[in-house]
PDB file of all heavy atoms in Angstrom:
ATOM      1  N   CYS A  60      98.998 117.173 -36.997  1.00 98.00           N
ATOM      2  CA  CYS A  60      98.972 118.498 -37.330  1.00 98.00           C
ATOM      3  C   CYS A  60      99.827 119.136 -36.243  1.00 98.00           C
ATOM      4  O   CYS A  60      99.910 118.650 -35.031  1.00 98.00           O
ATOM      5  CB  CYS A  60      97.602 119.084 -37.177  1.00 98.00           C
ATOM      6  SG  CYS A  60      96.492 118.512 -38.476  1.00 98.00           S
ATOM      7  N   ARG A  62      99.239 122.297 -35.343  1.00 93.00           N
ATOM      8  CA  ARG A  62      98.202 123.034 -34.551  1.00 93.00           C
ATOM      9  C   ARG A  62      96.828 122.203 -34.658  1.00 93.00           C
ATOM     10  O   ARG A  62      96.716 121.609 -35.805  1.00 93.00           O
ATOM     11  CB  ARG A  62      98.028 124.523 -35.132  1.00 93.00           C
ATOM     12  CG  ARG A  62      97.791 124.553 -36.528  1.00 93.00           C
ATOM     13  CD  ARG A  62      97.584 125.884 -36.997  1.00 93.00           C
ATOM     14  NE  ARG A  62      97.370 125.997 -38.409  1.00 93.00           N
ATOM     15  CZ  ARG A  62      97.043 127.033 -39.072  1.00 93.00           C
ATOM     16  NH1 ARG A  62      96.755 128.163 -38.323  1.00 93.00           N
ATOM     17  NH2 ARG A  62      96.936 127.005 -40.345  1.00 93.00           N
ATOM     18  N   LEU A  63      96.025 122.369 -33.821  1.00 96.00           N
ATOM     19  CA  LEU A  63      94.688 121.873 -33.811  1.00 96.00           C
ATOM     20  C   LEU A  63      93.674 122.968 -33.936  1.00 96.00           C
ATOM     21  O   LEU A  63      93.298 123.329 -32.977  1.00 96.00           O
ATOM     22  CB  LEU A  63      94.358 120.890 -32.735  1.00 96.00           C
ATOM     23  CG  LEU A  63      95.076 119.532 -32.782  1.00 96.00           C
ATOM     24  CD1 LEU A  63      94.726 118.757 -31.526  1.00 96.00           C
ATOM     25  CD2 LEU A  63      94.852 118.790 -34.129  1.00 96.00           C
ATOM     26  N   CYS A  64      93.262 123.201 -35.231  1.00 98.00           N
ATOM     27  CA  CYS A  64      92.337 124.366 -35.556  1.00 98.00           C
ATOM     28  C   CYS A  64      90.914 123.876 -34.883  1.00 98.00           C
ATOM     29  O   CYS A  64      90.507 122.809 -34.911  1.00 98.00           O
ATOM     30  CB  CYS A  64      92.104 124.551 -36.962  1.00 98.00           C
ATOM     31  SG  CYS A  64      93.724 124.635 -37.941  1.00 98.00           S
ATOM     32  N   PHE A  66      87.825 124.676 -35.584  1.00 98.00           N
ATOM     33  CA  PHE A  66      86.731 124.447 -36.478  1.00 98.00           C
ATOM     34  C   PHE A  66      86.916 123.008 -37.036  1.00 98.00           C
ATOM     35  O   PHE A  66      85.925 122.499 -37.587  1.00 98.00           O
ATOM     36  CB  PHE A  66      86.647 125.400 -37.533  1.00 98.00           C
ATOM     37  CG  PHE A  66      87.666 125.139 -38.675  1.00 98.00           C
ATOM     38  CD1 PHE A  66      87.390 124.418 -39.832  1.00 98.00           C
ATOM     39  CD2 PHE A  66      89.001 125.481 -38.443  1.00 98.00           C
ATOM     40  CE1 PHE A  66      88.277 124.051 -40.713  1.00 98.00           C
ATOM     41  CE2 PHE A  66      89.961 125.223 -39.539  1.00 98.00           C
ATOM     42  CZ  PHE A  66      89.576 124.542 -40.653  1.00 98.00           C
ATOM     43  N   CYS A  67      88.031 122.433 -37.061  1.00 97.00           N
ATOM     44  CA  CYS A  67      88.286 121.316 -37.903  1.00 97.00           C
ATOM     45  C   CYS A  67      87.702 120.023 -37.495  1.00 97.00           C
ATOM     46  O   CYS A  67      87.704 119.552 -36.165  1.00 97.00           O
ATOM     47  CB  CYS A  67      89.693 121.028 -37.970  1.00 97.00           C
ATOM     48  SG  CYS A  67      90.241 119.683 -39.123  1.00 97.00           S
ATOM     49  N   CYS A  69      88.265 117.133 -38.965  1.00 93.00           N
ATOM     50  CA  CYS A  69      89.133 115.979 -39.398  1.00 93.00           C
ATOM     51  C   CYS A  69      89.639 115.250 -38.242  1.00 93.00           C
ATOM     52  O   CYS A  69      90.108 115.885 -37.216  1.00 93.00           O
ATOM     53  CB  CYS A  69      90.235 116.491 -40.309  1.00 93.00           C
ATOM     54  SG  CYS A  69      89.672 117.314 -41.697  1.00 93.00           S
ATOM     55  N   THR A  71      92.458 114.014 -36.468  1.00 93.00           N
ATOM     56  CA  THR A  71      93.931 114.221 -36.454  1.00 93.00           C
ATOM     57  C   THR A  71      94.453 114.461 -35.104  1.00 93.00           C
ATOM     58  O   THR A  71      93.769 114.859 -34.165  1.00 93.00           O
ATOM     59  CB  THR A  71      94.214 115.437 -37.452  1.00 93.00           C
ATOM     60  OG1 THR A  71      95.612 115.607 -37.545  1.00 93.00           O
ATOM     61  CG2 THR A  71      93.589 116.641 -36.961  1.00 93.00           C
ATOM     62  N   GLY A 111      95.218 114.654 -45.063  1.00 94.00           N
ATOM     63  CA  GLY A 111      95.322 114.548 -43.592  1.00 94.00           C
ATOM     64  C   GLY A 111      94.153 115.099 -42.849  1.00 94.00           C
ATOM     65  O   GLY A 111      93.030 115.078 -43.498  1.00 94.00           O
ATOM     66  N   GLY A 112      94.389 115.649 -41.750  1.00 96.00           N
ATOM     67  CA  GLY A 112      95.585 116.158 -41.193  1.00 96.00           C
ATOM     68  C   GLY A 112      96.534 116.906 -42.080  1.00 96.00           C
ATOM     69  O   GLY A 112      95.980 117.519 -42.983  1.00 96.00           O
ATOM     70  N   THR A 113      97.777 116.818 -41.761  1.00 98.00           N
ATOM     71  CA  THR A 113      98.691 117.737 -42.481  1.00 98.00           C
ATOM     72  C   THR A 113      99.869 116.951 -43.008  1.00 98.00           C
ATOM     73  O   THR A 113     100.856 116.782 -42.271  1.00 98.00           O
ATOM     74  CB  THR A 113      99.223 118.859 -41.640  1.00 98.00           C
ATOM     75  OG1 THR A 113      97.983 119.537 -41.039  1.00 98.00           O
ATOM     76  CG2 THR A 113     100.040 119.849 -42.260  1.00 98.00           C
ATOM     77  N   ASP A 146      99.043 122.932 -45.674  1.00 98.00           N
ATOM     78  CA  ASP A 146      98.645 124.016 -44.609  1.00 98.00           C
ATOM     79  C   ASP A 146      99.717 125.049 -44.778  1.00 98.00           C
ATOM     80  O   ASP A 146     100.966 124.889 -44.477  1.00 98.00           O
ATOM     81  CB  ASP A 146      98.690 123.529 -43.206  1.00 98.00           C
ATOM     82  CG  ASP A 146      98.357 124.451 -42.121  1.00 98.00           C
ATOM     83  OD1 ASP A 146      98.158 125.713 -42.597  1.00 98.00           O
ATOM     84  OD2 ASP A 146      98.524 124.230 -40.988  1.00 98.00           O
ATOM     85  N   GLN A 171      90.241 128.755 -45.462  1.00 98.00           N
ATOM     86  CA  GLN A 171      88.980 128.838 -44.710  1.00 98.00           C
ATOM     87  C   GLN A 171      88.439 130.309 -44.735  1.00 98.00           C
ATOM     88  O   GLN A 171      87.353 130.412 -45.195  1.00 98.00           O
ATOM     89  CB  GLN A 171      89.300 128.399 -43.304  1.00 98.00           C
ATOM     90  CG  GLN A 171      90.258 127.205 -43.065  1.00 98.00           C
ATOM     91  CD  GLN A 171      90.108 126.012 -43.930  1.00 98.00           C
ATOM     92  OE1 GLN A 171      89.020 125.848 -44.484  1.00 98.00           O
ATOM     93  NE2 GLN A 171      91.130 125.138 -44.089  1.00 98.00           N
ATOM     94  N   ARG A 183      92.419 129.473 -35.838  1.00 98.00           N
ATOM     95  CA  ARG A 183      93.301 129.250 -37.045  1.00 98.00           C
ATOM     96  C   ARG A 183      93.805 130.496 -37.604  1.00 98.00           C
ATOM     97  O   ARG A 183      93.145 131.069 -38.439  1.00 98.00           O
ATOM     98  CB  ARG A 183      92.556 128.390 -38.113  1.00 98.00           C
ATOM     99  CG  ARG A 183      93.377 128.169 -39.171  1.00 98.00           C
ATOM    100  CD  ARG A 183      92.693 127.441 -40.409  1.00 98.00           C
ATOM    101  NE  ARG A 183      93.417 127.339 -41.611  1.00 98.00           N
ATOM    102  CZ  ARG A 183      94.161 126.244 -41.982  1.00 98.00           C
ATOM    103  NH1 ARG A 183      94.034 125.180 -41.294  1.00 98.00           N
ATOM    104  NH2 ARG A 183      94.888 126.233 -43.097  1.00 98.00           N
ATOM    105  N   ARG A 250      86.954 119.705 -30.035  1.00 95.00           N
ATOM    106  CA  ARG A 250      87.486 120.995 -30.072  1.00 95.00           C
ATOM    107  C   ARG A 250      86.599 122.162 -30.533  1.00 95.00           C
ATOM    108  O   ARG A 250      86.834 123.261 -30.361  1.00 95.00           O
ATOM    109  CB  ARG A 250      88.936 121.086 -30.655  1.00 95.00           C
ATOM    110  CG  ARG A 250      88.927 120.541 -32.119  1.00 95.00           C
ATOM    111  CD  ARG A 250      90.521 120.464 -32.558  1.00 95.00           C
ATOM    112  NE  ARG A 250      90.570 120.032 -33.957  1.00 95.00           N
ATOM    113  CZ  ARG A 250      90.608 118.798 -34.365  1.00 95.00           C
ATOM    114  NH1 ARG A 250      90.554 117.837 -33.502  1.00 95.00           N
ATOM    115  NH2 ARG A 250      90.685 118.604 -35.704  1.00 95.00           N
TER     116      ARG A 250
HETATM  117  S1  SF4 B   2      92.508 122.356 -40.718  1.00 77.63           S
HETATM  118 FE1  SF4 B   2      94.380 121.256 -41.219  1.00 77.63          FE
HETATM  119  S2  SF4 B   2      95.923 121.945 -39.562  1.00 77.63           S
HETATM  120 FE2  SF4 B   2      93.845 122.523 -38.845  1.00 77.63          FE
HETATM  121  S3  SF4 B   2      93.423 120.810 -37.528  1.00 77.63           S
HETATM  122 FE3  SF4 B   2      92.440 120.504 -39.495  1.00 77.63          FE
HETATM  123  S4  SF4 B   2      93.709 119.209 -40.676  1.00 77.63           S
HETATM  124 FE4  SF4 B   2      94.946 120.044 -38.894  1.00 77.63          FE
END
Side-chain angles (χ1 to χ4, degrees):
C60 296
R62 55 172 173 174
L63 285 180
C64 314
F66 77 95
C67 183
C69 302
T71 184
T113 304
D146 175 1
Q171 326 310 344
R183 182 184 170 98
R250 55 187 186 271

